Amino acid sequence: MTFYDDRETRSADERAASQLADLREQLIRARAAEGACNLDGPDLTSLSDLAAYPVLRKSDLSKWQKEKPPFGGFAVKNAAHVFQSPGPIYEPGGISHDWWRMGRFLHAAGIGADDIVHNCFGYHLTPAGMIFESGARAVGATVLPAGVGQTELQVRAAADIGTTAYAGTPDYLKVILDKAAEMGETLKITKAAVGGGALFPSLRQEYADRGITCLQSYATADLGNIAYESDAMEGMIVDEGVIVEIVTPGTGTPVAAGEVGEVVVTTLNPDYPLIRFATGDLSAVLPGQSPCGRTNMRIKGWMGRADQTTKIKGMFVRPEQVADLVAKHDEIIKARVIANREGEMDIMTVQVEASGGDKAAFEGSVASLLKLKGKVEIHAPDSLPKDGKVIDDQRVYD
């Protein structure tokens, strides 16, 4: 087996030392920007000190970009493109070597200089098409910039050119393959690098039955590649150019090992320093190392959305409010809001893991912080589910 570079097989100590040095430089760059904000934190003596820094959210980006367009005052350098994502939020893009670090994933998917990549990610306003194109260039592959739509033309091009690899959402490849079968064309695609949607096991198996190995990555427009599958297909390996934390939704507090929480990412891209950027996605650390030989941390992949904001009795309850409740009482270790119905009425139960404490005081804090009265249940430490849910809406509307 060949690796993309020797960074993939570093020891944990080597990786931590390198990332700590890069992170210190990244903070210097970020703080030097004229509009630098939200970067208060201690001197970094270890990577664990990063948890003391504020979490950056998309809502912050949107607000700051309106005040200081286009990038909100961030220390952006070497931007060759400006992209737009829903919000709207604007992201820079660069044309230097593999700016979004997607080459590492394509290499793991077996794509290289002998391949022609049928790139079905969009090139219009959003960066996905360019993200995968830059990765293809990094591994020496040729690209057909196909985008989406006009499926018959896509099949014609794939057949004429002889595309061997697909990049795009998991389901669109099936559209192309089915259309090719309808047209009587046999395509040469044997590799697929997908993202931007769920890759269901049944769909992956259908591709395997057609002779196509399909692997997925986890990337965003702001951060580039975050994690990716290898041929081992055991979790997703964290990219070497980012630092990933799993935190309790609504807070910046890391969860215990193996628990589900929100994915928070710090990118080490010197052209666009994002410190503790909250993705809004849930995942968990997968223990151990990948059988493929790559040594970086693994995550379990996408496990839902972290924004569990729920309306109860006409009032929004947010994860941040639940975090405030936990912070107010030293006895509370963890809290979970349950939304349910009793007849035609909403009811709210707040379950807390606590080592002692006054139930009446907890109920008073629930009323003041969550702006609603609710029943408080005290549970023993380490007894609530470890599924990343801070607000569990159990109401059924039928």
Side-chain angles (χ1 to χ4, degrees), residues 91-348:
E91 300 99 8
I95 55 175
S96 60
H97 178 75
D98 203 10
W99 201 81
W100 290 277
R101 308 173 316 282
M102 193 54 67
R104 190 178 301 283
F105 166 51
L106 296 187
H107 177 83
I111 297 172
D114 295 333
D115 287 298
I116 302 174
V117 178
H118 195 113
N119 187 5
C120 291
F121 280 107
Y123 283 78
H124 177 66
L125 285 179
T126 62
M130 291 297 295
I131 288 174
F132 274 78
E133 179 167 316
S134 69
R137 284 206 296 274
V139 297
T142 303
V143 177
L144 172 69
V148 294
Q150 298 183 298
T151 312
E152 286 192 16
L153 288 178
Q154 298 231 18
V155 171
R156 181 79 273 137
D160 290 346
I161 296 169
T163 56
T164 58
Y166 166 87
T169 57
D171 53 354
Y172 191 58
L173 175 57
K174 177 174 167 53
V175 174
I176 293 174
L177 295 175
D178 289 348
K179 178 60 70 173
E182 179 186 314
M183 295 169 60
E185 295 287 354
T186 300
L187 304 184
K188 296 180 179 179
I189 295 173
T190 60
K191 307 163 189 174
V194 303
L199 175 57
F200 296 103
S202 58
L203 184 59
R204 196 200 301 256
Q205 186 58 52
E206 179 174 342
Y207 293 150
D209 292 342
R210 295 188 185 204
I212 300 171
T213 301
C214 183
L215 300 180
Q216 61 185 326
S217 70
Y218 171 36
T220 73
D222 319 270
L223 299 160
N225 193 26
I226 298 170
Y228 60 97
E229 287 184 319
S230 70
D231 55 4
M233 286 191 278
E234 289 190 11
M236 305 187 84
I237 303 159
V238 172
D239 182 73
E240 297 294 335
V242 296
I243 299 169
V244 168
E245 302 169 87
I246 308 294
V247 308
T248 303
T251 78
T253 306
V255 300
E259 284 195 25
V260 178
E262 183 174 13
V263 179
V264 170
V265 181
T266 296
T267 173
L268 301 176
N269 179 354
D271 290 342
Y272 189 30
L274 292 177
I275 310 297
R276 302 201 83 203
F277 186 78
T279 64
D281 296 322
L282 292 176
S283 192
V285 171
L286 185 65
Q289 290 182 1
S290 173
C292 71
R294 294 170 177 85
T295 57
N296 205 353
M297 180 177 85
R298 297 179 297 169
I299 59 175
K300 293 183 178 180
W302 188 83
M303 300 177 70
R305 290 294 293 170
D307 184 6
Q308 301 161 23
T309 297
T310 303
K311 186 177 281 189
I312 307 173
K313 298 181 183 179
M315 296 289 290
F316 282 110
V317 178
R318 295 178 168 82
E320 292 85 351
Q321 294 169 288
V322 183
D324 290 341
L325 172 66
V326 174
K328 185 167 183 178
H329 296 274
D330 292 339
E331 303 94 338
I332 296 180
I333 303 166
K334 183 177 180 179
R336 183 185 184 98
V337 170
I338 308 295
N340 222 317
R341 291 181 73 79
E342 201 169 80
E344 298 301 317
M345 299 291 292
D346 286 347
I347 59 171
M348 181 178 75

Side-chain angles (χ1 to χ4, degrees), residues 325 328-329 358-376:
L325 172 66
K328 185 167 183 178
H329 296 274
D358 183 353
K359 183 176 179 180
F362 296 164
E363 289 174 341
S365 296
V366 166
S368 64
L369 295 173
L370 276 62
K371 312 302 180 186
L372 291 171
K373 290 184 178 179
K375 175 185 175 184
V376 171

Side-chain angles (χ1 to χ4, degrees), residues 79-93:
H81 298 97
V82 179
F83 298 100
Q84 184 194 74
S85 293
I89 292 175
Y90 296 94
E91 300 99 8

Side-chain angles (χ1 to χ4, degrees), residues 7 10 17-27 29 240 243 268:
R7 300 171 72 199
R10 291 181 290 181
S18 175
Q19 289 185 336
L20 180 60
D22 290 343
L23 179 58
R24 286 169 173 161
E25 292 296 319
Q26 194 73 317
L27 277 168
R29 294 186 196 99
E240 297 294 335
I243 299 169
L268 301 176

